[in-house]
Amino acid sequence: MGKYIVRRLLQMIPVVILSTFLIYAMVFAMPGDPTAGKCGERPCPAAYIEKFNAKYHLDEPLPVQYGYYAKNVIQGDLGENQYGRPVAEELSERFTVTAKLAVMALIFEGVIGILAGVLAGLRKGGFIDNLVLISTLFVISVPIFVTGFAAQYFLGLKWEIFPALASGKDPSLFALILPAMVLGSTSLAYIARLMRSNISDNIKSDYVRTAKAKGLKKGRIVGVHTLRNSLIPVVTFMGYDFGALLGGAIVTEGIFGINGVGGYIFTGIRNRDGIAVVGAVTALVIVYLLMNLLVDLLYGALDPRISND
Amino acid sequence: MAIASISAVALFATACGGSSDSDSTSGGTAGGEIISGGCNPENPLVAGNTAETCGGDVLDVLTAKLIHYNPETAEPENDIAESIETKDNQTFTVKIKKGYKFHDGTEVLAKNFVDAWNYTAFGPNGQQGGYFFEPVEGFKEVSDPKSKVKELTGLKVVDDLTFTIKTTTPVSNLPLRLGYTAFAPQPDSFFDDPEAFGKKPVAAGPYKFDSWEENSAIAVSKFDDYSGDFGGNADKITFQIFQDADAEYTALLAGEIDVVRQIPPSALIDNKFQTDLGDGRYLEKENSTFQFVGMNYNVDPKLKNVKVRQAISMAIDRPTIVKQIFNDAYTPATGWVSPVVDGYKAGACGEYCEFNPEKAKQLLGEGGGYDGKLTLSYNGDGGHKEWTQAVCNSVKKSIGIDCVATPSVDFKTILTKLGKDEVKGLFRMGWVMDYPSIENYLSPIYGATASSNYYGYDNAEFQKTMSEAGAAETPEEANKLYQQAEGLIAKEFTTIPLWYGKTIIGWSDKVTEVKATPFGSPDLAAMKVK
């Protein structure tokens, strides 16, 4: 097991290097000028542009630029973005907020999704089943920005149940509830549906019948035997979803004014701020890889027949 | 012999402009905190290196300059300047008020201006505001990116409270320009470490810098030792940083902030903001933005005949486009100069800026017609697609020229192509003033060697009129000459005016006395908390 983890961690190194270079090359291959718009409506003075280009090595060929960047990264310095801010510092701030948001969304979608799926799967065709099917269909078919704005308008502005925004450096957990629910809503629907079909399949399987025949209580049959097996695909889904939540929350973060990673990458791409984008994406790649590893390890815990060695 | 003294203008302005200024210093209801919507400054907060609004809005309340622009009328009023005098519009003697203090307690002296301006103009420092010093003698040598000359020969310290500015040619409106942020003085501590200074700026304005939480908020508070006439009312102003205009607007509706600098397009639809905010909580005011299309008929000879150019202008249905595309957030233009500036004269464009397909067809016929496709180039990074298409459709429908809106990746790409004479047909342009003067809409754009002359415009009479205006004895006389120069542009029609921008700001029910500066931002210092 330990060997397996080490091997997986070592495999990550080339993946990280290759992906950062690709992203770096792509960001800088984009047409357009990083100083555009920095001086208002008129083009920046030549002296400013020259200094800017020299500072970020923009006047050198791409491999040389990447070389400078890589050299710094190896020394533990993620560089400065175009606002002259250390990327590492900025990322750590933003990852804190986004990670909070993502974890809350994950808990929300996990708890409610699994619960709804189990209840629906146990009584297929019943009232709860129909309710879950219709409501999840609704959530899936409505785009996230509609859900977001509607939730913000009704729950935030009109009825004032939740704060309408979660802006600022360190928004409170309470302020993050609404965006987390919006962010997790689509995945919640998928989890509920995934869980429902797994449960309804597994409840008919031989080992459940055996457990029933042994006279086990219903709670134990569902809670331990059926649920554990049915969770495997859901765990896979949630593992990848966490990575997606971290990087892909651009819309939700925008609506609720959250200073998170999604918006950072978006503005970084728009401003051709290569160093900021590469830093953020590298962090995301690492999160994805680690989540991937975690999911694989969880398989073994959920089903001892699956072995990693 | 005349003295184009700014104090005369200032007196006039105070007399007519109402008592807004006396309110701000005497205010019994002063105090409280204002939370304003803000955005991430593009650069550290250094006055000479900030030319965009995110940092500019903050520096506006932090800095004091020689001149302050009246938020109602855009008239210049003396701030740090005691007087600015000249006999020939070329050598200006600036006397500053005694006892003006920087936030670190040091006194504002003549050398603080001269040192700061030299630093900003010096090419290797790469400051965004460097071009403001172009009229000053010695700028060419100092501003080169590889320059070794560190001091403008045109700036001389006479004594602690006096310095002189010498320009290369007469510039009658020089005092008027001195209210821009780039002309703010810098304390001695700035030069020790400009980089660190930019994160914790020290200036001489009504508010002093408190804290800057990156991506989150910038806070300033009232400066107790402020001795100027334009003090602020609120004790504290916080700029809450938003990345998204819609989120900022929502924060206003939710009562989290007190003022937004611009209502987002989504709330302009059907004037939604008016019902959202209610009467007395929003303000619409024309700002200095001016949109137009230009062409270089040396590059595209098909546009050589002035009647063809006028025909195209008359074929553009400005009011309909402004209504349908911009929800009336713009005003159709009637000339080449924004109505907010000193010297503006309405209707310089006359009937040629009015929509009249009949007359346009007739003019086009007289001008020999236009064969083939006419392109209207725009930069794809600025949201110009809809309106350029609408302009083209209007031209196509009214006079039958096959007009196509053609995107370029970004502004820089268009400018590069223009520099190489590669753009045929029309191209879009915009202008935001640097200082409130009619001159700022003419010389940078139409001067034969001007930095933003992309039109190959070279008119000896225009040049002559402009330099006469520069040397004029009184502002009134200068403006008259500038208006004549605008008339020459109207005759030549190398650019087609489209519309003026409007600022629409909104505020919460907690604040009063909200006014917009001539630059289109809310005047935060003048705002009061109820």
Side-chain angles (χ1 to χ4, degrees), chain A residues 32-33 38-39 41-43 45 47-48 50-51 83 85 90 94 152 157 165 169 254 259, chain B residues 41-43 123 125-126 128 131 146 213-216 243 250-251 410-412 432 434:
Chain A
D33 169 27
K38 279 187 89 83
C39 305
E41 283 257 323
R42 60 154 105 217
Y48 177 82
E50 199 155 309
K51 194 182 170 201
Y83 294 102
R85 278 266 291 160
E90 196 145 356
R94 284 166 179 267
Q152 184 181 53
L157 287 177
L165 289 163
K169 192 179 194 169
N259 287 313
Chain B
E42 293 277 352
N43 283 296
N125 287 336
Q128 287 188 357
Y131 66 89
K146 308 246 173 323
E213 277 184 78
E214 299 276 347
N215 305 317
S216 171
Q243 273 151 6
T250 309
D410 56 24
F411 199 42
K412 169 101 177 284
V432 181
D434 298 316

mmCIF file of all heavy atoms in Angstrom, chain A residues 32-33 38-39 41-43 45 47-48 50-51 83 85 90 94 152 157 165 169 254 259, chain B residues 41-43 123 125-126 128 131 146 213-216 243 250-251 410-412 432 434:
data_model
loop_
_atom_site.group_PDB
_atom_site.id
_atom_site.type_symbol
_atom_site.label_atom_id
_atom_site.label_comp_id
_atom_site.label_asym_id
_atom_site.label_seq_id
_atom_site.Cartn_x
_atom_site.Cartn_y
_atom_site.Cartn_z
ATOM 1 N N GLY A 32 -2.931 38.841 -28.671
ATOM 2 C CA GLY A 32 -3.341 39.901 -27.760
ATOM 3 C C GLY A 32 -2.190 40.365 -26.906
ATOM 4 O O GLY A 32 -1.172 39.690 -26.785
ATOM 5 N N ASP A 33 -2.386 41.500 -26.292
ATOM 6 C CA ASP A 33 -1.301 42.198 -25.640
ATOM 7 C C ASP A 33 -1.585 42.312 -24.151
ATOM 8 O O ASP A 33 -2.625 42.794 -23.748
ATOM 9 C CB ASP A 33 -1.212 43.584 -26.283
ATOM 10 C CG ASP A 33 -0.307 44.499 -25.508
ATOM 11 O OD1 ASP A 33 0.602 43.974 -24.846
ATOM 12 O OD2 ASP A 33 -0.527 45.708 -25.552
ATOM 13 N N LYS A 38 -4.432 48.297 -19.641
ATOM 14 C CA LYS A 38 -3.825 48.653 -18.362
ATOM 15 C C LYS A 38 -3.743 50.162 -18.184
ATOM 16 O O LYS A 38 -3.550 50.655 -17.095
ATOM 17 C CB LYS A 38 -2.425 48.047 -18.244
ATOM 18 C CG LYS A 38 -2.461 46.586 -17.832
ATOM 19 C CD LYS A 38 -1.083 46.050 -17.564
ATOM 20 C CE LYS A 38 -0.646 46.245 -16.138
ATOM 21 N NZ LYS A 38 -1.125 45.237 -15.225
ATOM 22 N N CYS A 39 -3.856 50.884 -19.266
ATOM 23 C CA CYS A 39 -3.727 52.339 -19.186
ATOM 24 C C CYS A 39 -5.030 53.021 -19.593
ATOM 25 O O CYS A 39 -5.014 54.091 -20.196
ATOM 26 C CB CYS A 39 -2.592 52.831 -20.066
ATOM 27 S SG CYS A 39 -1.029 52.042 -19.704
ATOM 28 N N GLU A 41 -8.325 53.885 -21.764
ATOM 29 C CA GLU A 41 -8.731 53.772 -23.164
ATOM 30 C C GLU A 41 -7.585 53.976 -24.145
ATOM 31 O O GLU A 41 -7.690 53.630 -25.297
ATOM 32 C CB GLU A 41 -9.847 54.778 -23.478
ATOM 33 C CG GLU A 41 -11.201 54.367 -22.961
ATOM 34 C CD GLU A 41 -12.129 53.821 -24.034
ATOM 35 O OE1 GLU A 41 -12.093 54.335 -25.157
ATOM 36 O OE2 GLU A 41 -12.876 52.892 -23.744
ATOM 37 N N ARG A 42 -6.513 54.585 -23.682
ATOM 38 C CA ARG A 42 -5.458 54.806 -24.667
ATOM 39 C C ARG A 42 -4.314 53.822 -24.483
ATOM 40 O O ARG A 42 -4.150 53.223 -23.434
ATOM 41 C CB ARG A 42 -4.994 56.249 -24.639
ATOM 42 C CG ARG A 42 -4.422 56.731 -23.335
ATOM 43 C CD ARG A 42 -3.471 57.850 -23.629
ATOM 44 N NE ARG A 42 -3.900 59.194 -23.345
ATOM 45 C CZ ARG A 42 -3.594 60.257 -24.104
ATOM 46 N NH1 ARG A 42 -2.981 60.145 -25.199
ATOM 47 N NH2 ARG A 42 -3.924 61.457 -23.755
ATOM 48 N N PRO A 43 -3.541 53.611 -25.553
ATOM 49 C CA PRO A 43 -2.434 52.663 -25.423
ATOM 50 C C PRO A 43 -1.402 53.175 -24.426
ATOM 51 O O PRO A 43 -1.244 54.378 -24.246
ATOM 52 C CB PRO A 43 -1.841 52.619 -26.835
ATOM 53 C CG PRO A 43 -2.355 53.824 -27.536
ATOM 54 C CD PRO A 43 -3.653 54.182 -26.904
ATOM 55 N N PRO A 45 2.139 54.216 -22.699
ATOM 56 C CA PRO A 45 3.353 54.825 -23.251
ATOM 57 C C PRO A 45 4.416 53.754 -23.517
ATOM 58 O O PRO A 45 4.480 52.758 -22.799
ATOM 59 C CB PRO A 45 3.827 55.773 -22.146
ATOM 60 C CG PRO A 45 2.681 55.942 -21.237
ATOM 61 C CD PRO A 45 1.805 54.737 -21.380
ATOM 62 N N ALA A 47 7.539 53.636 -22.952
ATOM 63 C CA ALA A 47 8.456 53.361 -21.853
ATOM 64 C C ALA A 47 7.833 52.378 -20.861
ATOM 65 O O ALA A 47 8.499 51.484 -20.350
ATOM 66 C CB ALA A 47 8.810 54.663 -21.131
ATOM 67 N N TYR A 48 6.527 52.531 -20.621
ATOM 68 C CA TYR A 48 5.847 51.631 -19.705
ATOM 69 C C TYR A 48 5.838 50.215 -20.246
ATOM 70 O O TYR A 48 6.143 49.252 -19.539
ATOM 71 C CB TYR A 48 4.411 52.128 -19.475
ATOM 72 C CG TYR A 48 3.605 51.228 -18.586
ATOM 73 C CD1 TYR A 48 3.724 51.311 -17.213
ATOM 74 C CD2 TYR A 48 2.748 50.280 -19.125
ATOM 75 C CE1 TYR A 48 3.003 50.481 -16.383
ATOM 76 C CE2 TYR A 48 2.019 49.437 -18.306
ATOM 77 C CZ TYR A 48 2.146 49.540 -16.934
ATOM 78 O OH TYR A 48 1.430 48.713 -16.133
ATOM 79 N N GLU A 50 7.816 48.877 -22.425
ATOM 80 C CA GLU A 50 9.157 48.311 -22.444
ATOM 81 C C GLU A 50 9.557 47.762 -21.070
ATOM 82 O O GLU A 50 10.082 46.663 -20.943
ATOM 83 C CB GLU A 50 10.132 49.395 -22.897
ATOM 84 C CG GLU A 50 11.436 48.831 -23.398
ATOM 85 C CD GLU A 50 12.102 49.796 -24.375
ATOM 86 O OE1 GLU A 50 11.440 50.249 -25.332
ATOM 87 O OE2 GLU A 50 13.273 50.084 -24.160
ATOM 88 N N LYS A 51 9.245 48.538 -20.045
ATOM 89 C CA LYS A 51 9.597 48.106 -18.693
ATOM 90 C C LYS A 51 8.807 46.856 -18.301
ATOM 91 O O LYS A 51 9.328 45.924 -17.700
ATOM 92 C CB LYS A 51 9.304 49.243 -17.717
ATOM 93 C CG LYS A 51 9.952 49.018 -16.365
ATOM 94 C CD LYS A 51 9.599 50.121 -15.402
ATOM 95 C CE LYS A 51 10.043 49.774 -13.993
ATOM 96 N NZ LYS A 51 9.312 50.544 -12.989
ATOM 97 N N TYR A 83 -0.104 42.220 -11.569
ATOM 98 C CA TYR A 83 -0.355 43.285 -10.616
ATOM 99 C C TYR A 83 0.833 43.432 -9.672
ATOM 100 O O TYR A 83 0.764 44.171 -8.702
ATOM 101 C CB TYR A 83 -1.604 42.986 -9.773
ATOM 102 C CG TYR A 83 -2.896 42.983 -10.539
ATOM 103 C CD1 TYR A 83 -3.501 41.800 -10.916
ATOM 104 C CD2 TYR A 83 -3.505 44.186 -10.863
ATOM 105 C CE1 TYR A 83 -4.687 41.809 -11.617
ATOM 106 C CE2 TYR A 83 -4.699 44.191 -11.558
ATOM 107 C CZ TYR A 83 -5.285 43.011 -11.932
ATOM 108 O OH TYR A 83 -6.464 43.021 -12.605
ATOM 109 N N ARG A 85 1.871 41.062 -7.698
ATOM 110 C CA ARG A 85 1.574 40.369 -6.455
ATOM 111 C C ARG A 85 2.140 38.964 -6.525
ATOM 112 O O ARG A 85 2.021 38.301 -7.540
ATOM 113 C CB ARG A 85 0.060 40.270 -6.278
ATOM 114 C CG ARG A 85 -0.542 41.508 -5.708
ATOM 115 C CD ARG A 85 -0.660 41.400 -4.209
ATOM 116 N NE ARG A 85 -1.663 40.421 -3.812
ATOM 117 C CZ ARG A 85 -1.690 39.866 -2.615
ATOM 118 N NH1 ARG A 85 -0.783 40.163 -1.739
ATOM 119 N NH2 ARG A 85 -2.631 39.008 -2.317
ATOM 120 N N GLU A 90 -1.336 35.034 -3.307
ATOM 121 C CA GLU A 90 -2.675 35.291 -3.803
ATOM 122 C C GLU A 90 -3.472 33.989 -3.924
ATOM 123 O O GLU A 90 -4.648 33.932 -3.583
ATOM 124 C CB GLU A 90 -2.566 35.971 -5.169
ATOM 125 C CG GLU A 90 -3.829 36.610 -5.590
ATOM 126 C CD GLU A 90 -3.558 37.886 -6.364
ATOM 127 O OE1 GLU A 90 -2.386 38.278 -6.493
ATOM 128 O OE2 GLU A 90 -4.505 38.471 -6.843
ATOM 129 N N ARG A 94 -6.982 32.687 -2.141
ATOM 130 C CA ARG A 94 -8.144 32.348 -2.932
ATOM 131 C C ARG A 94 -8.512 30.874 -2.799
ATOM 132 O O ARG A 94 -9.679 30.522 -2.833
ATOM 133 C CB ARG A 94 -7.890 32.687 -4.396
ATOM 134 C CG ARG A 94 -7.990 34.157 -4.622
ATOM 135 C CD ARG A 94 -7.422 34.534 -5.938
ATOM 136 N NE ARG A 94 -7.553 35.964 -6.145
ATOM 137 C CZ ARG A 94 -8.570 36.521 -6.765
ATOM 138 N NH1 ARG A 94 -9.529 35.773 -7.247
ATOM 139 N NH2 ARG A 94 -8.621 37.810 -6.913
ATOM 140 N N GLN A 152 -30.172 33.946 -5.394
ATOM 141 C CA GLN A 152 -29.688 35.198 -4.837
ATOM 142 C C GLN A 152 -30.834 36.196 -4.674
ATOM 143 O O GLN A 152 -30.949 36.864 -3.656
ATOM 144 C CB GLN A 152 -28.623 35.783 -5.764
ATOM 145 C CG GLN A 152 -27.995 37.044 -5.234
ATOM 146 C CD GLN A 152 -26.972 37.589 -6.207
ATOM 147 O OE1 GLN A 152 -27.264 37.795 -7.376
ATOM 148 N NE2 GLN A 152 -25.767 37.813 -5.731
ATOM 149 N N LEU A 157 -31.926 38.623 -1.556
ATOM 150 C CA LEU A 157 -32.375 40.011 -1.584
ATOM 151 C C LEU A 157 -33.794 40.189 -1.082
ATOM 152 O O LEU A 157 -34.096 41.089 -0.316
ATOM 153 C CB LEU A 157 -32.278 40.556 -3.014
ATOM 154 C CG LEU A 157 -30.876 40.850 -3.536
ATOM 155 C CD1 LEU A 157 -30.935 41.318 -4.979
ATOM 156 C CD2 LEU A 157 -30.204 41.901 -2.679
ATOM 157 N N LEU A 165 -24.451 38.087 -0.935
ATOM 158 C CA LEU A 165 -23.109 38.028 -1.504
ATOM 159 C C LEU A 165 -22.140 37.433 -0.496
ATOM 160 O O LEU A 165 -22.392 37.470 0.704
ATOM 161 C CB LEU A 165 -22.618 39.434 -1.851
ATOM 162 C CG LEU A 165 -23.268 40.132 -3.035
ATOM 163 C CD1 LEU A 165 -22.974 41.600 -2.959
ATOM 164 C CD2 LEU A 165 -22.765 39.560 -4.342
ATOM 165 N N LYS A 169 -12.401 39.229 1.607
ATOM 166 C CA LYS A 169 -11.283 38.307 1.639
ATOM 167 C C LYS A 169 -11.657 36.994 2.297
ATOM 168 O O LYS A 169 -11.310 35.927 1.840
ATOM 169 C CB LYS A 169 -10.150 38.961 2.417
ATOM 170 C CG LYS A 169 -8.842 38.252 2.288
ATOM 171 C CD LYS A 169 -7.824 39.035 3.080
ATOM 172 C CE LYS A 169 -6.413 38.610 2.761
ATOM 173 N NZ LYS A 169 -5.476 39.556 3.335
ATOM 174 N N GLY A 254 -18.777 34.362 -9.644
ATOM 175 C CA GLY A 254 -19.114 35.661 -10.224
ATOM 176 C C GLY A 254 -20.404 36.214 -9.648
ATOM 177 O O GLY A 254 -20.474 37.365 -9.232
ATOM 178 N N ASN A 259 -14.210 36.047 -4.176
ATOM 179 C CA ASN A 259 -12.859 36.167 -4.720
ATOM 180 C C ASN A 259 -12.169 34.817 -4.693
ATOM 181 O O ASN A 259 -11.295 34.569 -3.886
ATOM 182 C CB ASN A 259 -12.047 37.169 -3.907
ATOM 183 C CG ASN A 259 -12.498 38.580 -4.172
ATOM 184 O OD1 ASN A 259 -12.670 38.975 -5.325
ATOM 185 N ND2 ASN A 259 -12.730 39.327 -3.115
ATOM 186 N N PRO B 41 -6.762 47.669 -8.495
ATOM 187 C CA PRO B 41 -5.869 48.558 -9.228
ATOM 188 C C PRO B 41 -4.904 47.760 -10.104
ATOM 189 O O PRO B 41 -4.428 46.696 -9.689
ATOM 190 C CB PRO B 41 -5.114 49.290 -8.124
ATOM 191 C CG PRO B 41 -5.987 49.203 -6.938
ATOM 192 C CD PRO B 41 -6.682 47.876 -7.047
ATOM 193 N N GLU B 42 -4.650 48.270 -11.294
ATOM 194 C CA GLU B 42 -3.768 47.563 -12.225
ATOM 195 C C GLU B 42 -2.309 47.665 -11.788
ATOM 196 O O GLU B 42 -1.469 46.886 -12.198
ATOM 197 C CB GLU B 42 -3.896 48.166 -13.630
ATOM 198 C CG GLU B 42 -5.249 47.949 -14.274
ATOM 199 C CD GLU B 42 -5.369 46.591 -14.932
ATOM 200 O OE1 GLU B 42 -4.344 45.884 -15.020
ATOM 201 O OE2 GLU B 42 -6.472 46.228 -15.350
ATOM 202 N N ASN B 43 -1.983 48.674 -11.009
ATOM 203 C CA ASN B 43 -0.613 48.931 -10.612
ATOM 204 C C ASN B 43 -0.614 49.340 -9.147
ATOM 205 O O ASN B 43 -1.655 49.689 -8.607
ATOM 206 C CB ASN B 43 -0.028 50.087 -11.436
ATOM 207 C CG ASN B 43 0.340 49.643 -12.831
ATOM 208 O OD1 ASN B 43 1.210 48.811 -13.026
ATOM 209 N ND2 ASN B 43 -0.357 50.181 -13.801
ATOM 210 N N GLY B 123 11.908 58.156 -18.687
ATOM 211 C CA GLY B 123 11.576 56.949 -19.449
ATOM 212 C C GLY B 123 11.842 55.635 -18.734
ATOM 213 O O GLY B 123 10.949 54.799 -18.616
ATOM 214 N N ASN B 125 11.825 54.756 -15.840
ATOM 215 C CA ASN B 125 10.896 54.441 -14.751
ATOM 216 C C ASN B 125 9.604 53.824 -15.262
ATOM 217 O O ASN B 125 8.821 53.281 -14.480
ATOM 218 C CB ASN B 125 10.572 55.703 -13.943
ATOM 219 C CG ASN B 125 11.743 56.130 -13.083
ATOM 220 O OD1 ASN B 125 12.585 55.297 -12.745
ATOM 221 N ND2 ASN B 125 11.810 57.405 -12.750
ATOM 222 N N GLY B 126 9.349 53.955 -16.566
ATOM 223 C CA GLY B 126 8.188 53.302 -17.171
ATOM 224 C C GLY B 126 6.875 53.631 -16.512
ATOM 225 O O GLY B 126 6.078 52.752 -16.217
ATOM 226 N N GLN B 128 3.068 55.061 -16.326
ATOM 227 C CA GLN B 128 1.954 55.202 -17.261
ATOM 228 C C GLN B 128 1.621 56.654 -17.559
ATOM 229 O O GLN B 128 1.180 56.995 -18.639
ATOM 230 C CB GLN B 128 0.703 54.541 -16.682
ATOM 231 C CG GLN B 128 0.743 53.051 -16.701
ATOM 232 C CD GLN B 128 -0.595 52.468 -16.298
ATOM 233 O OE1 GLN B 128 -1.520 53.188 -15.966
ATOM 234 N NE2 GLN B 128 -0.687 51.156 -16.354
ATOM 235 N N TYR B 131 3.323 60.533 -20.315
ATOM 236 C CA TYR B 131 3.008 61.388 -21.468
ATOM 237 C C TYR B 131 2.360 62.715 -21.080
ATOM 238 O O TYR B 131 2.288 63.631 -21.890
ATOM 239 C CB TYR B 131 2.116 60.640 -22.460
ATOM 240 C CG TYR B 131 0.741 60.307 -21.957
ATOM 241 C CD1 TYR B 131 -0.311 61.212 -22.117
ATOM 242 C CD2 TYR B 131 0.476 59.079 -21.344
ATOM 243 C CE1 TYR B 131 -1.569 60.908 -21.662
ATOM 244 C CE2 TYR B 131 -0.783 58.774 -20.879
ATOM 245 C CZ TYR B 131 -1.797 59.683 -21.042
ATOM 246 O OH TYR B 131 -3.050 59.393 -20.595
ATOM 247 N N LYS B 146 15.498 54.612 -22.798
ATOM 248 C CA LYS B 146 16.893 54.362 -22.421
ATOM 249 C C LYS B 146 17.576 55.642 -21.926
ATOM 250 O O LYS B 146 18.800 55.707 -21.868
ATOM 251 C CB LYS B 146 17.667 53.833 -23.631
ATOM 252 C CG LYS B 146 17.021 52.657 -24.324
ATOM 253 C CD LYS B 146 17.878 51.411 -24.192
ATOM 254 C CE LYS B 146 17.205 50.160 -24.728
ATOM 255 N NZ LYS B 146 15.764 50.036 -24.500
ATOM 256 N N GLU B 213 -6.256 45.316 1.612
ATOM 257 C CA GLU B 213 -6.309 43.863 1.591
ATOM 258 C C GLU B 213 -6.524 43.459 0.149
ATOM 259 O O GLU B 213 -7.589 43.696 -0.400
ATOM 260 C CB GLU B 213 -7.479 43.356 2.428
ATOM 261 C CG GLU B 213 -7.202 43.267 3.890
ATOM 262 C CD GLU B 213 -8.405 42.666 4.598
ATOM 263 O OE1 GLU B 213 -8.568 41.437 4.531
ATOM 264 O OE2 GLU B 213 -9.187 43.430 5.169
ATOM 265 N N GLU B 214 -5.521 42.868 -0.441
ATOM 266 C CA GLU B 214 -5.581 42.540 -1.865
ATOM 267 C C GLU B 214 -6.856 41.783 -2.199
ATOM 268 O O GLU B 214 -7.287 40.914 -1.454
ATOM 269 C CB GLU B 214 -4.372 41.689 -2.266
ATOM 270 C CG GLU B 214 -3.045 42.388 -2.038
ATOM 271 C CD GLU B 214 -2.671 43.300 -3.194
ATOM 272 O OE1 GLU B 214 -3.304 43.203 -4.265
ATOM 273 O OE2 GLU B 214 -1.749 44.119 -3.009
ATOM 274 N N ASN B 215 -7.441 42.126 -3.317
ATOM 275 C CA ASN B 215 -8.656 41.481 -3.824
ATOM 276 C C ASN B 215 -9.853 41.681 -2.927
ATOM 277 O O ASN B 215 -10.889 41.092 -3.150
ATOM 278 C CB ASN B 215 -8.483 39.968 -3.976
ATOM 279 C CG ASN B 215 -7.309 39.635 -4.817
ATOM 280 O OD1 ASN B 215 -7.095 40.273 -5.843
ATOM 281 N ND2 ASN B 215 -6.543 38.661 -4.415
ATOM 282 N N SER B 216 -9.721 42.458 -1.894
ATOM 283 C CA SER B 216 -10.817 42.526 -0.960
ATOM 284 C C SER B 216 -11.252 43.963 -0.692
ATOM 285 O O SER B 216 -12.380 44.332 -0.996
ATOM 286 C CB SER B 216 -10.394 41.835 0.330
ATOM 287 O OG SER B 216 -11.354 42.054 1.308
ATOM 288 N N GLN B 243 -15.092 41.813 -8.659
ATOM 289 C CA GLN B 243 -14.568 41.486 -9.971
ATOM 290 C C GLN B 243 -15.639 41.577 -11.026
ATOM 291 O O GLN B 243 -15.375 41.492 -12.211
ATOM 292 C CB GLN B 243 -14.005 40.059 -9.963
ATOM 293 C CG GLN B 243 -12.585 40.058 -9.507
ATOM 294 C CD GLN B 243 -12.202 38.797 -8.826
ATOM 295 O OE1 GLN B 243 -12.963 37.857 -8.771
ATOM 296 N NE2 GLN B 243 -11.016 38.771 -8.316
ATOM 297 N N THR B 250 -25.485 44.042 -7.103
ATOM 298 C CA THR B 250 -26.255 43.269 -6.122
ATOM 299 C C THR B 250 -25.904 43.691 -4.702
ATOM 300 O O THR B 250 -26.769 43.803 -3.842
ATOM 301 C CB THR B 250 -25.975 41.763 -6.295
ATOM 302 O OG1 THR B 250 -26.159 41.426 -7.660
ATOM 303 C CG2 THR B 250 -26.903 40.935 -5.442
ATOM 304 N N ALA B 251 -24.604 43.955 -4.475
ATOM 305 C CA ALA B 251 -24.179 44.394 -3.151
ATOM 306 C C ALA B 251 -24.844 45.711 -2.777
ATOM 307 O O ALA B 251 -25.187 45.940 -1.618
ATOM 308 C CB ALA B 251 -22.661 44.534 -3.112
ATOM 309 N N ASP B 410 -7.523 42.556 -30.731
ATOM 310 C CA ASP B 410 -7.637 43.541 -29.664
ATOM 311 C C ASP B 410 -7.200 44.915 -30.148
ATOM 312 O O ASP B 410 -6.800 45.099 -31.291
ATOM 313 C CB ASP B 410 -6.856 43.102 -28.420
ATOM 314 C CG ASP B 410 -5.403 42.836 -28.734
ATOM 315 O OD1 ASP B 410 -4.905 43.392 -29.728
ATOM 316 O OD2 ASP B 410 -4.767 42.072 -27.990
ATOM 317 N N PHE B 411 -7.265 45.852 -29.246
ATOM 318 C CA PHE B 411 -7.002 47.250 -29.564
ATOM 319 C C PHE B 411 -5.592 47.428 -30.120
ATOM 320 O O PHE B 411 -5.371 48.109 -31.111
ATOM 321 C CB PHE B 411 -7.191 48.065 -28.281
ATOM 322 C CG PHE B 411 -7.398 49.528 -28.520
ATOM 323 C CD1 PHE B 411 -8.208 49.980 -29.542
ATOM 324 C CD2 PHE B 411 -6.769 50.461 -27.712
ATOM 325 C CE1 PHE B 411 -8.404 51.336 -29.748
ATOM 326 C CE2 PHE B 411 -6.968 51.823 -27.907
ATOM 327 C CZ PHE B 411 -7.781 52.260 -28.932
ATOM 328 N N LYS B 412 -4.642 46.786 -29.451
ATOM 329 C CA LYS B 412 -3.246 46.919 -29.853
ATOM 330 C C LYS B 412 -3.047 46.477 -31.300
ATOM 331 O O LYS B 412 -2.315 47.105 -32.061
ATOM 332 C CB LYS B 412 -2.391 46.066 -28.904
ATOM 333 C CG LYS B 412 -0.966 45.854 -29.305
ATOM 334 C CD LYS B 412 -0.029 46.773 -28.539
ATOM 335 C CE LYS B 412 1.421 46.539 -28.874
ATOM 336 N NZ LYS B 412 1.957 45.332 -28.244
ATOM 337 N N VAL B 432 -11.254 59.259 -24.001
ATOM 338 C CA VAL B 432 -11.631 59.713 -22.670
ATOM 339 C C VAL B 432 -10.683 60.833 -22.324
ATOM 340 O O VAL B 432 -9.483 60.712 -22.520
ATOM 341 C CB VAL B 432 -11.476 58.580 -21.630
ATOM 342 C CG1 VAL B 432 -11.885 59.062 -20.264
ATOM 343 C CG2 VAL B 432 -12.289 57.390 -22.027
ATOM 344 N N ASP B 434 -8.189 63.534 -20.649
ATOM 345 C CA ASP B 434 -7.193 63.517 -19.584
ATOM 346 C C ASP B 434 -7.404 64.703 -18.663
ATOM 347 O O ASP B 434 -7.102 64.654 -17.483
ATOM 348 C CB ASP B 434 -5.791 63.599 -20.181
ATOM 349 C CG ASP B 434 -5.506 62.405 -21.066
ATOM 350 O OD1 ASP B 434 -5.837 61.283 -20.651
ATOM 351 O OD2 ASP B 434 -4.988 62.586 -22.173
#
